[in-house]
Amino acid sequence: MTTETHPAPSRRVAIPATNPRVYDALVALQAAAADGVDAELGELIKIRASQLNGCAYCLHMHVSDATALGMSDSKLHMVAVWREAPNFFTVREQAVLEFTEAVTRLGDRGVPDDVYARAAEHFDTRAMGQLLATVIMINAWNRIAVTSRYPAGADERRA
């Protein structure tokens, strides 16, 4: 049996180098979005959105960040199937994961009222705005990384 290896796809554009003002603005918006958001909840948002968007670069980065925060491997392995593994997540975390999915998969349906209401049961208006901003930011980063073919395992924050 032979194992075929595939070369990493070439990177198309590197926003930090080619568009530094845009990158700096995104970094500033990311910091503003994260203000007051529980770090573990923030990582769950980033992991789930990155899974949905097929962004290996961001998924690797945020699983690493979650591990550094002390999140268990067992919990991290269940993020993709959180509905089938509710015992790994609090009701609050489940509401945030559901909200993340609805915002990420916006489509024609938008964010259903019941999904928004379940999240809003756990957060005040300001916190809901911060959660929404966090979901929006990881979706923006996912779209940059996927379109630009950022390689999984790299982390430009540490470059």
Side-chain angles (χ1 to χ4, degrees):
M1 183 170 143
T2 63
T3 304
E4 185 179 337
T5 59
H6 300 280
S10 62
R11 202 167 187 188
R12 295 176 179 181
V13 65
I15 294 289
T18 60
N19 307 83
R21 287 184 60 215
V22 171
Y23 180 77
D24 290 345
L26 287 166
V27 169
L29 186 53
Q30 175 68 49
D35 183 41
V37 175
D38 174 80
E40 287 190 14
L41 276 180
E43 293 307 326
L44 287 175
I45 289 168
K46 294 168 192 172
I47 289 166
R48 188 63 188 130
S50 297
Q51 290 170 336
L52 294 172
N53 290 323
C55 185
Y57 175 84
C58 292
L59 182 59
H60 180 272
M61 178 188 299
H62 293 294
V63 167
S64 297
D65 290 350
T67 300
L69 287 173
M71 290 179 72
S72 72
D73 287 344
S74 296
K75 186 172 194 167
L76 292 171
H77 291 301
M78 295 296 118
V79 174
V81 292
W82 66 270
R83 283 184 176 84
E84 290 78 31
N87 54 310
F88 284 88
F89 304 94
T90 67
V91 173
R92 181 176 183 242
E93 290 170 335
Q94 291 174 50
V96 167
L97 289 165
E98 183 180 36
F99 180 71
T100 299
E101 290 180 356
V103 174
T104 299
R105 293 177 169 157
L106 202 54
D108 295 337
R109 181 180 140 166
V111 177
D113 290 339
D114 61 324
V115 171
Y116 189 93
R118 274 191 289 280
E121 287 176 16
H122 304 279
F123 303 94
D124 63 21
T125 304
R126 182 186 184 286
M128 283 298 294
Q130 292 303 115
L131 291 175
L132 176 58
T134 299
V135 177
I136 290 168
M137 284 310 306
I138 191 57
N139 276 279
W141 290 121
N142 287 167
R143 281 151 177 77
I144 290 168
V146 169
T147 301
S148 300
R149 294 186 176 157
Y150 282 32
D155 187 342
E156 68 188 16
R157 299 173 305 175
R158 297 173 191 9

